[in-house]
Amino acid sequence: MAKERLWWHAVVRVVGAGNMANILRLWRANFGMEERRQGSEGLVRQRNEVLERRKRAFVNGKFCKDPTKVTANDFFFSGLNVPRDTSNQLGVNVTLLNVDMIAGLNTNGLSLARIDYAENGGLNPPHHHPRAAEILTVLEGTLYAGFVTANPDHLLFSKILQAGDVFVFPFGLIHFQLNIGETPAVAIAALGSQNPGVITEGNALFGSKPSINPDVLTKAFHLNKDLVVNLQNQNWVNPA
């Protein structure tokens, strides 16, 4: 600013204070370009700072794919008709088609799952989806399915479902399905998120790493402390 003040006083003495229009023209000619250059450099610095921050940012979701590189395969999955292996502790297998499996689900707010249940007790244990509601359609078999409402009521809504029946599990509520038939069962679930997430209650509470202090679970579930420790030492299998 010192340079500009000296210039201003010098020009006023030469041109005269009354000839302000000429003085302003001279000012713009001498300093206007400098102001534009500094403004341009400022924008470049701001852009570079934003780009640098983006490099350090954690993205909650998926980046969109370059539209020029999108193909039909980004919207496609094959093999959901194939029965899955249910020979595990729970007798269940969940095949989730979320945005990690089908890129075209990005920003569309939905996903799909095939659920296979072993005969005589295949169980999709109590769990909830933190980011989605769910609608379940039974294709084969007989399921006992239900959900429990939130505090303070804890109301149970349940039904016996046959092939062709549909049941809704509201957003974020604990729900389950149990195969009560003597043959394998299959269901298809649609969920209202590209990445619904799943928290299996038993696994989270008794299979956490590191383990929750047994005193917490003993008091919370009205259990014997030895039983809690025994449960924590067991292998907790995820349904998926």
Side-chain angles (χ1 to χ4, degrees):
M1 290 298 297
K3 181 175 67 174
E4 286 89 337
R5 280 198 299 270
L6 290 173
W7 182 92
W8 184 269
H9 291 308
V11 169
V12 169
R13 282 197 302 271
V14 173
V15 177
N19 201 347
M20 188 58 69
N22 288 334
I23 293 175
L24 289 175
R25 276 196 292 271
L26 289 170
W27 173 273
R28 293 191 185 102
N30 281 271
F31 294 102
M33 185 62 71
E34 178 67 16
E35 289 175 353
R36 287 194 294 272
R37 184 185 66 80
Q38 291 177 354
S40 177
E41 289 177 350
L43 290 174
V44 170
R45 283 196 301 272
Q46 289 177 359
R47 184 192 64 186
N48 290 341
E49 288 172 2
V50 169
L51 292 174
E52 188 61 32
R53 283 197 297 270
R54 285 180 180 174
K55 290 178 184 178
R56 299 191 300 266
F58 293 95
V59 178
N60 183 17
K62 295 287 183 180
F63 286 110
C64 291
K65 189 172 182 178
D66 183 343
T68 63
K69 298 180 180 178
V70 172
T71 70
N73 285 333
D74 292 313
F75 305 89
F76 175 77
F77 180 90
S78 180
L80 203 61
N81 61 313
V82 179
R84 266 52 178 183
D85 181 15
T86 56
S87 59
N88 54 52
Q89 183 187 79
L90 296 169
V92 71
N93 192 308
V94 180
T95 304
L96 176 63
L97 302 182
N98 61 9
V99 70
D100 292 326
M101 299 295 293
I102 303 177
L105 289 173
N106 194 22
T107 74
N108 280 309
L110 60 100
S111 54
L112 192 73
R114 172 187 171 123
I115 312 171
D116 290 80
Y117 311 82
E119 65 276 10
N120 299 313
L123 172 68
N124 193 8
H127 64 282
H128 70 277
H129 304 289
R131 294 181 290 276
E134 175 181 345
I135 182 167
L136 182 87
T137 303
V138 179
L139 302 182
E140 302 173 15
T142 304
L143 297 178
Y144 167 56
F147 65 88
V148 179
T149 63
N151 297 353
D153 300 319
H154 310 133
L155 298 176
L156 171 65
F157 291 84
S158 64
K159 291 285 287 186
I160 304 298
L161 306 177
Q162 309 286 348
D165 290 343
V166 174
F167 200 71
V168 173
F169 304 113
F171 195 110
L173 295 185
I174 295 174
H175 58 283
F176 58 85
Q177 304 104 42
L178 173 70
N179 184 2
I180 59 175
E182 297 180 354
T183 60
V186 180
I188 293 291
L191 301 108
S193 170
Q194 68 182 34
N195 185 23
V198 60
I199 300 173
T200 305
E201 266 56 41
N203 297 32
L205 293 168
F206 294 99
S208 67
K209 297 179 180 59
S211 296
I212 297 172
N213 186 320
D215 292 335
V216 174
L217 302 177
T218 296
K219 192 166 187 176
F221 291 98
H222 305 177
L223 297 173
N224 179 279
K225 187 172 181 178
D226 291 337
L227 177 57
V228 168
V229 173
N230 181 45
L231 288 171
Q232 289 179 318
N233 289 330
Q234 293 185 23
N235 181 31
W236 293 85
V237 176
N238 288 320

